[in-house]
Amino acid sequence: MDITLNRICTICARGGSKGVPNKNIRSLLGKPLIAHSIQQALDSQLFAAVAVSSDSDDILDVARRAGASLLIKRPDALATDQAAKLPVIQHCLLQAEAEAGRTFDVVVDLDATAPLRAVEDIVAATQMLEDTGVQNVITAMPARRSPYFNMVELDAAGYAHLSKPLDQQVVRRQDAPKCYDMNASIYAWKRPALLEGTSVFMERTRLYVMPEERSIDIDSELDFRFVEFLFADRG
């Protein structure tokens, strides 16, 4: 890993949440949810700055107290239900650079709603980006379902068919091509790739695979309870 690179960690957390109200600052084992990701970024010792982007003053205040070094107020246009993730991270980076008076070579985004990641995952995903010459790295877990075996789509007549049928029928999921579920945990970019990108999938995107028990993304009350259980189980 190149010790000369300037790295920034971004954490983007919107105030509005319909599935789990105020989830980004809801207490998870005595600490606001977003504070877990901020602490992981700090513990990794990789970053020259940790920037939190939000439309919510409450979230930004929690982030400041949790140790974030740059607080970025997100414009309303990037805080709607329809706003895509990539422009939010791009905005966060550019505003953070303006406030810090410097540019960063590597951007690593941690999703506040995926706190089960390990610090080692952050380090390994960042190292994969820097050591392999790729444009970006995304994280995922092995998929429970396979489009070659047990994922189906409906045709225009309403009949069910495999999503991706093969010439030779697959009779066991283990024999199907490997598939992965994106877990929204870690995204890592070289700066030019992030600012030029329109999608997280680029010509040279690598996948860092994490186990399922570190891959839950909180999108519902049930997800939150699962995460609470797994955190408590870790001790």
Side-chain angles (χ1 to χ4, degrees):
M1 185 175 291
D2 191 342
I3 61 173
T4 67
L5 291 178
N6 291 319
R7 306 184 190 93
I8 185 172
C9 175
T10 59
I11 301 173
C12 302
R14 192 164 63 93
S17 174
K18 293 183 175 66
V20 184
N22 297 315
K23 66 180 176 182
N24 287 303
I25 55 176
R26 178 170 166 177
S27 178
L28 174 64
L29 297 188
K31 183 187 297 186
L33 177 61
I34 192 172
H36 290 275
S37 293
I38 294 171
Q39 190 61 54
Q40 290 165 352
L42 295 173
D43 288 347
S44 74
Q45 300 183 355
L46 290 176
F47 305 108
V50 176
V52 171
S53 164
S54 183
D55 59 317
S56 165
D57 290 334
D58 289 339
I59 290 176
L60 292 176
D61 184 56
V62 168
R64 176 186 57 79
R65 288 186 276 116
S69 50
L70 295 169
L71 306 176
I72 309 301
K73 191 62 182 287
R74 190 187 310 185
D76 292 341
L78 294 178
T80 66
D81 289 338
Q82 293 75 36
K85 184 179 183 71
L86 198 57
V88 172
I89 301 171
Q90 291 166 337
H91 173 268
C92 182
L93 170 64
L94 293 176
Q95 290 299 115
E97 289 182 334
E99 291 193 17
R102 63 191 293 187
T103 58
F104 297 95
D105 304 306
V106 168
V107 183
V108 177
D109 184 78
L110 304 182
D111 199 308
T113 60
L116 288 169
R117 73 178 75 79
V119 171
E120 290 77 11
D121 293 320
I122 303 171
V123 174
T126 303
Q127 187 163 14
M128 177 181 284
L129 174 79
E130 296 178 7
D131 290 354
T132 59
V134 297
Q135 293 167 294
N136 69 322
V137 171
I138 61 177
T139 57
M141 67 177 184
R144 287 187 171 190
R145 300 283 178 177
S146 169
Y148 302 98
F149 180 69
N150 55 5
M151 289 183 67
V152 299
E153 298 177 11
L154 300 180
D155 62 20
Y159 297 118
H161 304 274
L162 276 176
S163 293
K164 294 186 71 173
L166 296 172
D167 292 337
Q168 184 173 352
Q169 182 182 4
V170 176
V171 296
R172 298 190 316 153
R173 182 177 60 84
Q174 293 85 347
D175 297 330
K178 290 183 178 180
C179 295
Y180 302 89
D181 284 333
M182 294 176 65
N183 62 7
S185 184
I186 306 168
Y187 300 84
W189 285 273
K190 302 285 180 60
R191 183 182 187 274
L194 171 61
L195 294 180
E196 296 167 6
T198 57
S199 167
V200 298
F201 296 103
M202 313 189 82
E203 289 183 3
R204 302 192 310 278
T205 298
R206 285 286 297 268
L207 192 69
Y208 175 76
V209 181
M210 297 166 56
E212 185 175 6
E213 64 268 19
R214 300 205 301 269
S215 295
I216 297 177
D217 179 36
I218 298 174
D219 197 40
S220 68
E221 188 65 34
L222 183 60
D223 293 335
F224 204 100
R225 293 186 180 187
F226 276 138
V227 170
E228 282 183 317
F229 169 78
L230 289 172
F231 256 115
D233 192 53
R234 281 184 186 177

